[in-house]
Amino acid sequence: MSHQLWGGRFAAPTAEDMRQFNDSFRFDQRLAAADITGSIAWAGALADAGLITGEERDRLVQGLNQVQLEFAEERFVPQPGDEDIHTAVERRLGELVGSLAGKLHTGRSRNDQVATDMRLFCLHAAQTLQMRLMQLQHALLDQAEQHAATLMPGYTHLQRAQPITFGHWCLAYVEMLERDRMRLEDATRRIRVLPLGSGALAGNSLGIDRTALTAALSSPDRYPFFDDITTNSLDAVSDRDFVAELLFDCALIGVHLSRLAEDLVLYSSSEFGFIELADEYSTGSSLMPQKKNPDSMELLRGKSGRLIGNLVTLLTVLKGTPLAYNKDMQEDKEPFFDSFDTLDLGLRVAAAAVATLQANPERMVAALDAAMLATDLADELVRRGVPFREAHGKVGRLVRRALELRVGLHQLPLEEYRAVQPDLDETAYALFDFAQSVARKAGVGGTAPERVKEQVLAWRERGR
Ligand code: ARG
């Protein structure tokens, strides 16, 4: 026997291919907890409005709790007619409480129901991802703390540019991830607006108190609060911009992770040798016994593709849909679940891989060369009153001279220095000290070890 939620006006059954095409239970069963939470609150609202008795409400809630438990304990048995999660829950509820189950959907549509479910799920997802981001920040901070003074080359255009500290490199990603976390938190404010009670599209005529519903749905043990209600039913049932926003946030997290990953792929190569990833987060080659590949990082880099793709998918689905609800909107779920799952696991792997990587300070220092202090020499000329533009040209000539003579910039004879700047003396050679160079970058935001340590402390105080 079918428990289809519609069909009275149909003479012919749905074609088998159409049924498969239309059914969403195989993916939207993930909304079970959210769906039942919403239904329990709805049963309360129906009783408050005098549409069911208190005793009926209690039996519905008891039945719903039972279904909730079956899902939680993974013993819910789906039936072939379970078109979507809403149908499945109502069908099972009917088996448990009888025809009373048919009263639950009074004044409600699957349109405001699914919009509510998605918001609840998105709140949970945004919270989880924020926690995962903080775990990765934590791992980066531990490395930063340990390597606040570890010298390494800093790059622009992937060309050696100026010396920095490895700690400073770590903190750059902590900053990016913090903005990602704040974006999720900000999006949360717009997700906490309750669409339930909007009906199919036009609103509710049965005297449901939607504000009271908001309070009933504020169960902080499972989900954060809904703290407002939507004020236009057409928009409420068809808006999915909160999902698109989160998908953007996920895509940008993916882009940030891909940059972190690319740095670590490079740094773990024999050519750089700056870091070594733990065996646990690397894999081998089936053919070349010597290989140790940074697959964790390559996957993090690669996953950004699907994260960006999922955002583009939903934007494309929503574009041009007429008001109000359209079945197109069912296509919000798979991209969102995929982005959430990808990052839920990806961020855990990233945090553990960063926590367990071994930095190799000797290799980092060995990659520094004196030419990276050319700017420090130019700064010295500036201190001697030379306009910077001119100093840049003078030091540039010295760099070329060093290349001609096949020596380091710091190995040029004094007369070469004097040829461009007559008042230079032996003290100029003291400039060629990487640690000193880094220590001089002591302005706020600079790579000086004291600044790095200070930043680590500041992050710790913010609970990272
Ligand atoms: N499975 C649907 C979705 O995800 C639920 C809403 C269905 N509403 C409807 N009028 N057919 O959007």
Side-chain angles (χ1 to χ4, degrees), residues 15 49 138 147 339:
H138 190 89
H147 294 289
S339 284

Side-chain angles (χ1 to χ4, degrees), residues 24 28 84 86 110-111 114 240 325 327 329-330 333:
S24 53
D28 69 14
D84 53 25
H86 325 296
R110 281 182 294 168
N111 297 352
V114 77
R240 294 293 180 275
Y325 177 84
K327 200 56 169 277
M329 276 132 202
Q330 180 163 290
K333 290 171 197 62

Side-chain angles (χ1 to χ4, degrees), residues 13 54 58 77 94 97 113 127 137 171 185 197 203-204 211 263 267 290 294 298 325 330 369 420 447:
D58 293 347
V77 186
V97 306
Q113 190 178 356
Q127 250 195 353
Q137 286 179 311
L171 291 183
E185 193 174 279
N204 186 281
T211 305
D263 270 349
Y267 295 170
Q290 86 286 7
E298 292 165 61
Y325 177 84
Q330 180 163 290
D369 77 56
V420 300
T447 190

